[in-house]
Amino acid sequence: MSTESTNLNSLGLPKEPKDTRVVVAMSGGVDSSVTAAMLHEEGYDVVGITLQLYDHGEIIARTGACCAGQDIYDARTVADTFGFPHYVLDYESKFKESVIEDFADSYARGETPIPCVRCNQTVKFKDLLDTAKDLGADVLATGHYVQRNGDETDAQMLKGADPKKDQSYFLFATTQEQLDFLRFPLGHMDKTETRALADKFNLTVADKPDSQDICFVPDGNYASIVEKFRPEAVEAGDIVHIDGEVLGTHKGIIHYTVGQRRGLGIGGRGANSGTDPLYVVKIDPENRQVIVGPKSALATPRIRLSDVNWLGDTKLSQGPVEIGVKVRSTMQPVAATVEATELGDVEVTFAEPMNGVSPGQACVFYQGDRVLGGGWIQRRIS
């Protein structure tokens, strides 16, 4: 190998850009469009792929939803403008099974799901990544706002440079093998810089608004999706105080989440709650009950996780690790300890009890700006 060939390109590979095939996941939004255009302008062999994840006929006129009809058109327009290949792959069946039905199942279990994480975990960074390799790609690039530190192997994931756009919480399930193959060219930028590049490249999507809703939920009405797949989750039941007093009725457990205070419809208090406002502290799907209590009942000292992805330098079985954790995407990391139990379970102990911890959400591990993985919150431990 010559000395020149050992020089790394901007994607950390010992190749010339023209000899480096990059498959770009293109949702039709500004971020992925800029990613593809930028890499093409750098001279990389770019191939764009857009996933058709659901029947977009029903929402073809709806804006702000990724992978709908307009978004597929927008992605293809960008590819045609720059002259690189673009393919639309039908992943509708896989998406329905792995994401939409899982979303409905999670609500039926009394959990609060995060379908965007499931999509990354089961479709985009699994099936799409395999497809990219089948196309001879050296790497798969996305428009996510996270950073990747390292070259071909043993890469680390870091928070996005722009704290307002950091998407590391939603990518906690990315495995080491996947991370080594992935690239995030926008991770060091903020959204203003991205839109400036979109203007520079004269992209038709330069002013396209960011997607705000879950892509497969028309008008944000997720209850209609759950009712279609799991009708039992919308059956009425009792709202019960933690002391056992029935305070009222609800119209289905899917309308409630742990930590919720407003919209309970029980006049604020029951005989057992004194003058304190009431919060949802637990969902009991088996008995179709929403359990409420004072804010103090939300305090959670410890949680058990399932499907843990660990990106740390040592094994969790070697002993407790002090980390920062986020149990909601919008919060700042808080001090905690993660460890594997003798039975092989993974538990997180908070330095200070946390409020509003909901099964079905993600607990993501951090060490400074580095992402150490995370897991799904299975249950609270007193």
Side-chain angles (χ1 to χ4, degrees):
M1 182 178 291
S2 66
T3 303
E4 287 79 2
S5 65
T6 61
N7 293 332
L8 302 181
N9 60 34
S10 64
L11 296 178
L13 299 175
K15 291 184 174 184
E16 293 293 328
K18 64 182 178 63
D19 300 320
T20 304
R21 173 160 290 183
V22 184
V23 166
V24 180
M26 299 183 68
S27 68
V30 64
D31 297 327
S32 59
S33 296
V34 167
T35 298
M38 185 169 62
L39 293 172
H40 180 268
E41 288 294 285
E42 289 181 33
Y44 287 100
D45 176 15
V46 171
V47 177
I49 291 183
T50 301
L51 304 181
Q52 180 176 319
L53 299 178
Y54 49 86
D55 181 4
H56 61 268
E58 296 180 359
I59 59 172
I60 195 167
R62 180 173 179 256
T63 60
C66 74
C67 306
Q70 181 63 45
D71 300 300
I72 292 173
Y73 173 80
D74 289 340
R76 174 157 288 166
T77 298
V78 171
D80 289 345
T81 299
F82 286 86
F84 59 79
H86 174 257
Y87 302 100
V88 178
L89 303 182
D90 183 0
Y91 277 33
E92 187 173 338
S93 177
K94 177 69 173 179
F95 186 76
K96 176 176 177 289
E97 176 185 347
S98 300
V99 180
I100 299 179
E101 291 189 7
D102 178 82
F103 174 82
D105 285 339
S106 185
Y107 266 112
R109 291 192 300 267
E111 300 173 347
T112 305
I114 316 175
C116 295
V117 177
R118 286 295 188 194
C119 185
N120 290 329
Q121 185 179 27
T122 61
V123 179
K124 291 181 180 177
F125 289 173
K126 187 176 183 295
D127 294 337
L128 177 56
L129 190 143
D130 290 340
T131 299
K133 290 181 177 179
D134 290 342
L135 290 172
D138 294 287
V139 297
L140 171 66
T142 79
H144 288 102
Y145 287 88
V146 295
Q147 300 184 80
R148 180 187 179 280
N149 183 26
D151 297 320
E152 292 186 76
T153 60
D154 299 322
Q156 297 179 356
M157 185 188 298
L158 308 176
K159 296 177 184 177
D162 181 357
K164 294 180 180 180
K165 294 297 295 181
D166 170 46
Q167 293 174 300
S168 60
Y169 180 86
F170 300 98
L171 300 182
F172 81 85
T174 306
T175 67
Q176 185 65 59
E177 182 181 3
Q178 293 167 347
L179 185 57
D180 288 342
F181 192 70
L182 286 161
R183 298 296 186 275
F184 310 104
L186 304 186
H188 64 287
M189 299 164 53
D190 61 34
K191 193 58 178 253
T192 302
E193 294 175 279
T194 300
R195 291 207 181 272
L197 281 174
D199 287 332
K200 174 186 173 183
F201 294 136
N202 294 315
L203 299 182
T204 57
V205 296
D207 297 322
K208 190 172 183 177
D210 292 339
S211 177
Q212 300 295 328
D213 300 324
I214 298 171
C215 68
F216 59 88
V217 182
D219 302 322
N221 184 13
Y222 62 86
S224 65
I225 299 293
V226 180
E227 184 173 10
K228 176 181 178 180
F229 288 94
R230 302 294 180 264
E232 67 275 11
V234 295
E235 293 179 1
D238 292 330
I239 299 177
V240 183
H241 192 274
I242 56 174
D243 290 337
E245 180 185 2
V246 176
L247 303 180
T249 59
H250 62 75
K251 297 180 180 179
I253 61 173
I254 63 169
H255 299 292
Y256 302 86
T257 186
V258 172
Q260 179 178 336
R261 175 185 173 186
R262 300 183 183 280
L264 301 182
I266 53 176
R269 291 178 290 276
N272 293 323
S273 62
T275 58
D276 293 331
L278 295 176
Y279 298 78
V280 176
V281 298
K282 182 181 178 182
I283 307 293
D284 181 354
E286 185 175 349
N287 296 304
R288 298 203 309 274
Q289 292 181 341
V290 174
I291 314 299
V292 298
K295 188 173 184 179
S296 59
L298 290 170
T300 303
R302 195 156 47 113
I303 54 176
R304 180 165 295 164
L305 307 180
S306 63
D307 299 325
V308 172
N309 179 47
W310 176 248
L311 298 173
D313 298 324
T314 60
K315 295 181 179 180
L316 287 176
S317 59
Q318 293 178 313
V321 181
E322 293 184 358
I323 55 173
V325 301
K326 293 172 65 171
V327 295
R328 293 182 295 277
S329 63
T330 55
M331 68 178 286
Q332 292 297 316
V334 298
T337 301
V338 60
E339 62 182 319
T341 70
E342 294 181 356
L343 296 177
D345 298 316
V346 175
E347 295 182 353
V348 171
T349 302
F350 302 108
E352 298 288 339
M354 283 288 297
N355 286 339
V357 179
S358 177
Q361 292 280 286
C363 177
V364 182
F365 311 147
Y366 294 89
Q367 202 165 63
D369 286 337
R370 184 180 175 187
V371 184
L372 296 182
W376 296 99
I377 300 172
Q378 189 178 63
R379 65 183 181 88
R380 301 161 62 191
I381 303 175
S382 301

